[in-house]
mmCIF file of all heavy atoms in Angstrom:
data_model
loop_
_atom_site.group_PDB
_atom_site.id
_atom_site.type_symbol
_atom_site.label_atom_id
_atom_site.label_comp_id
_atom_site.label_asym_id
_atom_site.label_seq_id
_atom_site.Cartn_x
_atom_site.Cartn_y
_atom_site.Cartn_z
ATOM 1 N N TYR B 123 -0.622 13.517 -25.306
ATOM 2 C CA TYR B 123 -2.061 13.256 -25.316
ATOM 3 C C TYR B 123 -2.775 14.572 -25.595
ATOM 4 O O TYR B 123 -2.405 15.611 -25.036
ATOM 5 C CB TYR B 123 -2.528 12.687 -23.975
ATOM 6 C CG TYR B 123 -4.001 12.368 -23.942
ATOM 7 C CD1 TYR B 123 -4.496 11.239 -24.575
ATOM 8 C CD2 TYR B 123 -4.902 13.208 -23.293
ATOM 9 C CE1 TYR B 123 -5.856 10.944 -24.561
ATOM 10 C CE2 TYR B 123 -6.254 12.920 -23.275
ATOM 11 C CZ TYR B 123 -6.722 11.791 -23.908
ATOM 12 O OH TYR B 123 -8.069 11.508 -23.895
ATOM 13 N N THR B 124 -3.788 14.519 -26.440
ATOM 14 C CA THR B 124 -4.599 15.693 -26.751
ATOM 15 C C THR B 124 -6.019 15.430 -26.276
ATOM 16 O O THR B 124 -6.639 14.439 -26.687
ATOM 17 C CB THR B 124 -4.582 15.993 -28.260
ATOM 18 O OG1 THR B 124 -3.221 16.220 -28.664
ATOM 19 C CG2 THR B 124 -5.424 17.217 -28.582
ATOM 20 N N VAL B 125 -6.513 16.311 -25.395
ATOM 21 C CA VAL B 125 -7.872 16.141 -24.872
ATOM 22 C C VAL B 125 -8.888 16.497 -25.942
ATOM 23 O O VAL B 125 -8.583 17.201 -26.908
ATOM 24 C CB VAL B 125 -8.105 16.971 -23.588
ATOM 25 C CG1 VAL B 125 -7.171 16.535 -22.476
ATOM 26 C CG2 VAL B 125 -7.979 18.458 -23.860
ATOM 27 N N ALA B 126 -10.110 16.021 -25.752
ATOM 28 C CA ALA B 126 -11.195 16.296 -26.689
ATOM 29 C C ALA B 126 -11.549 17.780 -26.696
ATOM 30 O O ALA B 126 -11.357 18.489 -25.704
ATOM 31 C CB ALA B 126 -12.420 15.469 -26.312
ATOM 32 N N ASN B 127 -12.074 18.237 -27.795
ATOM 33 C CA ASN B 127 -12.470 19.634 -27.981
ATOM 34 C C ASN B 127 -13.854 19.850 -27.347
ATOM 35 O O ASN B 127 -14.844 20.061 -28.046
ATOM 36 C CB ASN B 127 -12.484 19.966 -29.473
ATOM 37 C CG ASN B 127 -12.788 21.414 -29.758
ATOM 38 O OD1 ASN B 127 -12.909 22.225 -28.838
ATOM 39 N ND2 ASN B 127 -12.921 21.754 -31.027
ATOM 40 N N THR B 128 -13.911 19.756 -26.020
ATOM 41 C CA THR B 128 -15.159 19.930 -25.288
ATOM 42 C C THR B 128 -14.932 20.836 -24.084
ATOM 43 O O THR B 128 -13.834 20.888 -23.546
ATOM 44 C CB THR B 128 -15.707 18.577 -24.785
ATOM 45 O OG1 THR B 128 -14.703 17.948 -23.977
ATOM 46 C CG2 THR B 128 -16.083 17.659 -25.940
ATOM 47 N N ALA B 129 -15.970 21.519 -23.670
ATOM 48 C CA ALA B 129 -15.904 22.392 -22.489
ATOM 49 C C ALA B 129 -16.235 21.547 -21.261
ATOM 50 O O ALA B 129 -17.376 21.489 -20.814
ATOM 51 C CB ALA B 129 -16.868 23.564 -22.637
ATOM 52 N N LYS B 130 -15.243 20.861 -20.752
ATOM 53 C CA LYS B 130 -15.394 19.955 -19.606
ATOM 54 C C LYS B 130 -14.183 20.103 -18.699
ATOM 55 O O LYS B 130 -13.131 20.584 -19.106
ATOM 56 C CB LYS B 130 -15.472 18.493 -20.069
ATOM 57 C CG LYS B 130 -16.522 18.175 -21.102
ATOM 58 C CD LYS B 130 -17.858 17.977 -20.479
ATOM 59 C CE LYS B 130 -18.858 17.543 -21.555
ATOM 60 N NZ LYS B 130 -20.192 17.449 -21.042
ATOM 61 N N ASN B 131 -14.314 19.636 -17.470
ATOM 62 C CA ASN B 131 -13.177 19.528 -16.562
ATOM 63 C C ASN B 131 -12.575 18.150 -16.753
ATOM 64 O O ASN B 131 -13.299 17.149 -16.767
ATOM 65 C CB ASN B 131 -13.617 19.751 -15.116
ATOM 66 C CG ASN B 131 -14.106 21.168 -14.907
ATOM 67 O OD1 ASN B 131 -13.684 22.094 -15.587
ATOM 68 N ND2 ASN B 131 -15.007 21.346 -13.961
ATOM 69 N N LYS B 132 -11.234 18.101 -16.872
ATOM 70 C CA LYS B 132 -10.566 16.859 -17.287
ATOM 71 C C LYS B 132 -9.375 16.537 -16.400
ATOM 72 O O LYS B 132 -8.817 17.414 -15.741
ATOM 73 C CB LYS B 132 -10.097 17.015 -18.734
ATOM 74 C CG LYS B 132 -11.257 17.377 -19.658
ATOM 75 C CD LYS B 132 -10.816 17.811 -21.019
ATOM 76 C CE LYS B 132 -12.052 18.282 -21.774
ATOM 77 N NZ LYS B 132 -11.947 18.131 -23.180
ATOM 78 N N LEU B 133 -8.987 15.276 -16.428
ATOM 79 C CA LEU B 133 -7.839 14.781 -15.677
ATOM 80 C C LEU B 133 -7.038 13.866 -16.601
ATOM 81 O O LEU B 133 -7.604 12.963 -17.219
ATOM 82 C CB LEU B 133 -8.314 14.008 -14.441
ATOM 83 C CG LEU B 133 -7.259 13.355 -13.563
ATOM 84 C CD1 LEU B 133 -6.378 14.408 -12.908
ATOM 85 C CD2 LEU B 133 -7.923 12.494 -12.502
ATOM 86 N N VAL B 134 -5.735 14.111 -16.688
ATOM 87 C CA VAL B 134 -4.856 13.286 -17.530
ATOM 88 C C VAL B 134 -3.651 12.882 -16.691
ATOM 89 O O VAL B 134 -3.061 13.713 -16.002
ATOM 90 C CB VAL B 134 -4.392 14.050 -18.790
ATOM 91 C CG1 VAL B 134 -3.456 13.186 -19.636
ATOM 92 C CG2 VAL B 134 -5.586 14.511 -19.610
ATOM 93 N N VAL B 135 -3.282 11.596 -16.745
ATOM 94 C CA VAL B 135 -2.162 11.070 -15.969
ATOM 95 C C VAL B 135 -1.200 10.334 -16.899
ATOM 96 O O VAL B 135 -1.620 9.476 -17.687
ATOM 97 C CB VAL B 135 -2.656 10.109 -14.859
ATOM 98 C CG1 VAL B 135 -1.481 9.522 -14.090
ATOM 99 C CG2 VAL B 135 -3.638 10.809 -13.930
ATOM 100 N N PHE B 136 0.087 10.675 -16.783
ATOM 101 C CA PHE B 136 1.152 9.975 -17.506
ATOM 102 C C PHE B 136 2.005 9.241 -16.486
ATOM 103 O O PHE B 136 2.432 9.829 -15.491
ATOM 104 C CB PHE B 136 2.072 10.963 -18.238
ATOM 105 C CG PHE B 136 1.432 11.718 -19.358
ATOM 106 C CD1 PHE B 136 0.767 12.908 -19.111
ATOM 107 C CD2 PHE B 136 1.504 11.252 -20.661
ATOM 108 C CE1 PHE B 136 0.180 13.632 -20.143
ATOM 109 C CE2 PHE B 136 0.929 11.965 -21.700
ATOM 110 C CZ PHE B 136 0.262 13.157 -21.439
ATOM 111 N N ALA B 137 2.277 7.948 -16.712
ATOM 112 C CA ALA B 137 3.203 7.196 -15.864
ATOM 113 C C ALA B 137 4.591 7.325 -16.471
ATOM 114 O O ALA B 137 4.776 7.109 -17.675
ATOM 115 C CB ALA B 137 2.787 5.729 -15.793
ATOM 116 N N ILE B 138 5.560 7.695 -15.628
ATOM 117 C CA ILE B 138 6.923 7.878 -16.103
ATOM 118 C C ILE B 138 7.844 6.878 -15.412
ATOM 119 O O ILE B 138 8.112 6.978 -14.220
ATOM 120 C CB ILE B 138 7.441 9.308 -15.829
ATOM 121 C CG1 ILE B 138 6.471 10.371 -16.341
ATOM 122 C CG2 ILE B 138 8.839 9.472 -16.421
ATOM 123 C CD1 ILE B 138 6.312 10.433 -17.841
ATOM 124 N N ASP B 139 8.311 5.915 -16.152
ATOM 125 C CA ASP B 139 9.334 4.987 -15.687
ATOM 126 C C ASP B 139 10.671 5.622 -16.053
ATOM 127 O O ASP B 139 10.898 5.944 -17.235
ATOM 128 C CB ASP B 139 9.155 3.650 -16.397
ATOM 129 C CG ASP B 139 10.180 2.612 -16.003
ATOM 130 O OD1 ASP B 139 11.244 2.970 -15.448
ATOM 131 O OD2 ASP B 139 9.930 1.429 -16.266
ATOM 132 N N PRO B 140 11.565 5.862 -15.081
ATOM 133 C CA PRO B 140 12.855 6.487 -15.408
ATOM 134 C C PRO B 140 13.621 5.766 -16.520
ATOM 135 O O PRO B 140 14.451 6.381 -17.188
ATOM 136 C CB PRO B 140 13.607 6.455 -14.077
ATOM 137 C CG PRO B 140 12.532 6.505 -13.047
ATOM 138 C CD PRO B 140 11.409 5.674 -13.637
ATOM 139 N N ALA B 141 13.326 4.491 -16.756
ATOM 140 C CA ALA B 141 13.984 3.759 -17.843
ATOM 141 C C ALA B 141 13.594 4.304 -19.215
ATOM 142 O O ALA B 141 14.265 4.034 -20.203
ATOM 143 C CB ALA B 141 13.633 2.273 -17.752
ATOM 144 N N LYS B 142 12.520 5.091 -19.287
ATOM 145 C CA LYS B 142 12.085 5.684 -20.561
ATOM 146 C C LYS B 142 12.854 6.962 -20.891
ATOM 147 O O LYS B 142 12.729 7.498 -21.981
ATOM 148 C CB LYS B 142 10.594 5.994 -20.514
ATOM 149 C CG LYS B 142 9.723 4.780 -20.245
ATOM 150 C CD LYS B 142 9.073 4.296 -21.470
ATOM 151 C CE LYS B 142 8.230 3.055 -21.162
ATOM 152 N NZ LYS B 142 7.308 2.756 -22.193
ATOM 153 N N LEU B 143 13.645 7.455 -19.923
ATOM 154 C CA LEU B 143 14.457 8.651 -20.149
ATOM 155 C C LEU B 143 15.694 8.314 -20.981
ATOM 156 O O LEU B 143 16.197 7.186 -20.933
ATOM 157 C CB LEU B 143 14.899 9.256 -18.817
ATOM 158 C CG LEU B 143 13.803 9.850 -17.945
ATOM 159 C CD1 LEU B 143 14.297 10.011 -16.518
ATOM 160 C CD2 LEU B 143 13.343 11.172 -18.506
ATOM 161 N N ASP B 144 16.191 9.287 -21.712
ATOM 162 C CA ASP B 144 17.413 9.132 -22.500
ATOM 163 C C ASP B 144 18.620 9.285 -21.564
ATOM 164 O O ASP B 144 19.367 10.256 -21.629
ATOM 165 C CB ASP B 144 17.427 10.188 -23.609
ATOM 166 C CG ASP B 144 18.650 10.110 -24.505
ATOM 167 O OD1 ASP B 144 19.433 9.138 -24.384
ATOM 168 O OD2 ASP B 144 18.847 11.036 -25.305
ATOM 169 N N THR B 145 18.803 8.307 -20.676
ATOM 170 C CA THR B 145 19.864 8.392 -19.670
ATOM 171 C C THR B 145 21.257 8.317 -20.295
ATOM 172 O O THR B 145 22.209 8.853 -19.744
ATOM 173 C CB THR B 145 19.715 7.283 -18.610
ATOM 174 O OG1 THR B 145 19.649 6.014 -19.271
ATOM 175 C CG2 THR B 145 18.461 7.499 -17.777
ATOM 176 N N ALA B 146 21.369 7.678 -21.444
ATOM 177 C CA ALA B 146 22.672 7.588 -22.113
ATOM 178 C C ALA B 146 23.208 8.977 -22.457
ATOM 179 O O ALA B 146 24.418 9.173 -22.540
ATOM 180 C CB ALA B 146 22.558 6.737 -23.384
ATOM 181 N N ASN B 147 22.308 9.940 -22.631
ATOM 182 C CA ASN B 147 22.709 11.306 -22.957
ATOM 183 C C ASN B 147 22.486 12.275 -21.793
ATOM 184 O O ASN B 147 22.425 13.487 -21.992
ATOM 185 C CB ASN B 147 21.976 11.790 -24.206
ATOM 186 C CG ASN B 147 22.470 11.061 -25.448
ATOM 187 O OD1 ASN B 147 23.664 11.034 -25.724
ATOM 188 N ND2 ASN B 147 21.562 10.439 -26.167
ATOM 189 N N GLY B 148 22.342 11.713 -20.574
ATOM 190 C CA GLY B 148 22.264 12.546 -19.381
ATOM 191 C C GLY B 148 20.890 13.092 -19.027
ATOM 192 O O GLY B 148 20.779 13.980 -18.190
ATOM 193 N N PHE B 149 19.827 12.569 -19.619
ATOM 194 C CA PHE B 149 18.482 13.052 -19.315
ATOM 195 C C PHE B 149 17.945 12.321 -18.089
ATOM 196 O O PHE B 149 17.788 11.101 -18.107
ATOM 197 C CB PHE B 149 17.549 12.852 -20.516
ATOM 198 C CG PHE B 149 17.834 13.812 -21.635
ATOM 199 C CD1 PHE B 149 18.876 13.595 -22.518
ATOM 200 C CD2 PHE B 149 17.073 14.959 -21.777
ATOM 201 C CE1 PHE B 149 19.158 14.491 -23.534
ATOM 202 C CE2 PHE B 149 17.343 15.869 -22.798
ATOM 203 C CZ PHE B 149 18.393 15.631 -23.671
ATOM 204 N N ASP B 150 17.692 13.073 -17.006
ATOM 205 C CA ASP B 150 17.186 12.475 -15.775
ATOM 206 C C ASP B 150 16.104 13.338 -15.120
ATOM 207 O O ASP B 150 15.727 13.101 -13.984
ATOM 208 C CB ASP B 150 18.323 12.210 -14.782
ATOM 209 C CG ASP B 150 19.100 13.460 -14.423
ATOM 210 O OD1 ASP B 150 18.680 14.574 -14.788
ATOM 211 O OD2 ASP B 150 20.155 13.328 -13.777
ATOM 212 N N CYS B 151 15.607 14.332 -15.843
ATOM 213 C CA CYS B 151 14.573 15.228 -15.315
ATOM 214 C C CYS B 151 13.344 15.183 -16.215
ATOM 215 O O CYS B 151 13.463 14.922 -17.414
ATOM 216 C CB CYS B 151 15.089 16.657 -15.234
ATOM 217 S SG CYS B 151 16.496 16.838 -14.116
ATOM 218 N N ILE B 152 12.187 15.441 -15.617
ATOM 219 C CA ILE B 152 10.953 15.479 -16.398
ATOM 220 C C ILE B 152 10.212 16.789 -16.162
ATOM 221 O O ILE B 152 10.355 17.438 -15.124
ATOM 222 C CB ILE B 152 10.011 14.294 -16.092
ATOM 223 C CG1 ILE B 152 9.548 14.323 -14.625
ATOM 224 C CG2 ILE B 152 10.646 12.980 -16.472
ATOM 225 C CD1 ILE B 152 8.373 13.411 -14.319
ATOM 226 N N GLY B 153 9.427 17.138 -17.145
ATOM 227 C CA GLY B 153 8.536 18.279 -17.089
ATOM 228 C C GLY B 153 7.380 18.000 -18.028
ATOM 229 O O GLY B 153 7.243 16.891 -18.553
ATOM 230 N N VAL B 154 6.557 18.996 -18.258
ATOM 231 C CA VAL B 154 5.430 18.822 -19.171
ATOM 232 C C VAL B 154 5.046 20.182 -19.727
ATOM 233 O O VAL B 154 5.158 21.202 -19.052
ATOM 234 C CB VAL B 154 4.231 18.126 -18.468
ATOM 235 C CG1 VAL B 154 3.674 18.977 -17.347
ATOM 236 C CG2 VAL B 154 3.145 17.740 -19.450
ATOM 237 N N SER B 155 4.634 20.178 -20.987
ATOM 238 C CA SER B 155 4.119 21.415 -21.585
ATOM 239 C C SER B 155 2.664 21.190 -21.972
ATOM 240 O O SER B 155 2.279 20.098 -22.384
ATOM 241 C CB SER B 155 4.954 21.843 -22.791
ATOM 242 O OG SER B 155 4.828 20.909 -23.834
ATOM 243 N N ILE B 156 1.892 22.258 -21.804
ATOM 244 C CA ILE B 156 0.472 22.242 -22.159
ATOM 245 C C ILE B 156 0.303 23.314 -23.227
ATOM 246 O O ILE B 156 0.677 24.473 -23.019
ATOM 247 C CB ILE B 156 -0.407 22.515 -20.925
ATOM 248 C CG1 ILE B 156 -0.136 21.450 -19.857
ATOM 249 C CG2 ILE B 156 -1.886 22.545 -21.318
ATOM 250 C CD1 ILE B 156 -0.772 21.729 -18.512
ATOM 251 N N ALA B 157 -0.239 22.924 -24.369
ATOM 252 C CA ALA B 157 -0.319 23.818 -25.519
ATOM 253 C C ALA B 157 -1.229 25.012 -25.252
ATOM 254 O O ALA B 157 -2.131 24.968 -24.417
ATOM 255 C CB ALA B 157 -0.818 23.044 -26.738
ATOM 256 N N ASP B 158 -0.980 26.072 -26.013
ATOM 257 C CA ASP B 158 -1.777 27.291 -25.971
ATOM 258 C C ASP B 158 -3.201 26.980 -26.437
ATOM 259 O O ASP B 158 -3.403 26.476 -27.532
ATOM 260 C CB ASP B 158 -1.121 28.319 -26.908
ATOM 261 C CG ASP B 158 -1.891 29.607 -27.045
ATOM 262 O OD1 ASP B 158 -2.939 29.780 -26.395
ATOM 263 O OD2 ASP B 158 -1.437 30.465 -27.815
ATOM 264 N N SER B 159 -4.172 27.287 -25.578
ATOM 265 C CA SER B 159 -5.572 27.068 -25.956
ATOM 266 C C SER B 159 -6.167 28.303 -26.611
ATOM 267 O O SER B 159 -7.232 28.223 -27.213
ATOM 268 C CB SER B 159 -6.411 26.718 -24.719
ATOM 269 O OG SER B 159 -6.571 27.864 -23.893
ATOM 270 N N GLY B 160 -5.501 29.456 -26.452
ATOM 271 C CA GLY B 160 -6.055 30.688 -26.980
ATOM 272 C C GLY B 160 -7.309 31.130 -26.227
ATOM 273 O O GLY B 160 -8.041 31.986 -26.692
ATOM 274 N N GLN B 161 -7.553 30.531 -25.060
ATOM 275 C CA GLN B 161 -8.755 30.829 -24.269
ATOM 276 C C GLN B 161 -8.344 31.236 -22.861
ATOM 277 O O GLN B 161 -7.823 30.419 -22.104
ATOM 278 C CB GLN B 161 -9.671 29.598 -24.187
ATOM 279 C CG GLN B 161 -10.102 29.046 -25.515
ATOM 280 C CD GLN B 161 -11.003 29.996 -26.277
ATOM 281 O OE1 GLN B 161 -11.699 30.831 -25.700
ATOM 282 N NE2 GLN B 161 -10.984 29.885 -27.589
ATOM 283 N N ALA B 162 -8.584 32.469 -22.488
ATOM 284 C CA ALA B 162 -8.185 32.963 -21.163
ATOM 285 C C ALA B 162 -8.930 32.271 -20.036
ATOM 286 O O ALA B 162 -8.460 32.256 -18.901
ATOM 287 C CB ALA B 162 -8.402 34.473 -21.084
ATOM 288 N N THR B 163 -10.083 31.673 -20.319
ATOM 289 C CA THR B 163 -10.871 31.023 -19.263
ATOM 290 C C THR B 163 -10.565 29.539 -19.120
ATOM 291 O O THR B 163 -11.143 28.871 -18.268
ATOM 292 C CB THR B 163 -12.380 31.204 -19.537
ATOM 293 O OG1 THR B 163 -12.683 30.699 -20.845
ATOM 294 C CG2 THR B 163 -12.775 32.665 -19.445
ATOM 295 N N ASN B 164 -9.682 29.000 -19.943
ATOM 296 C CA ASN B 164 -9.254 27.610 -19.794
ATOM 297 C C ASN B 164 -8.048 27.574 -18.858
ATOM 298 O O ASN B 164 -7.094 28.313 -19.040
ATOM 299 C CB ASN B 164 -8.890 26.987 -21.141
ATOM 300 C CG ASN B 164 -10.115 26.673 -21.976
ATOM 301 O OD1 ASN B 164 -11.241 26.866 -21.549
ATOM 302 N ND2 ASN B 164 -9.901 26.197 -23.184
ATOM 303 N N LEU B 165 -8.112 26.711 -17.849
ATOM 304 C CA LEU B 165 -7.077 26.647 -16.823
ATOM 305 C C LEU B 165 -6.503 25.245 -16.731
ATOM 306 O O LEU B 165 -7.168 24.271 -17.066
ATOM 307 C CB LEU B 165 -7.654 27.051 -15.466
ATOM 308 C CG LEU B 165 -8.336 28.408 -15.391
ATOM 309 C CD1 LEU B 165 -9.062 28.562 -14.074
ATOM 310 C CD2 LEU B 165 -7.332 29.518 -15.578
#
Side-chain angles (χ1 to χ4, degrees):
Y123 181 76
T124 301
V125 298
N127 184 5
T128 57
K130 306 278 185 185
N131 295 332
K132 304 168 186 208
L133 177 65
V134 179
V135 178
F136 294 87
I138 308 293
D139 179 342
K142 301 257 179 164
L143 293 162
D144 181 8
T145 54
N147 290 306
F149 287 80
D150 58 9
C151 298
I152 63 166
V154 64
S155 66
I156 301 171
D158 176 2
S159 71
Q161 303 294 334
T163 56
N164 286 357
L165 305 170

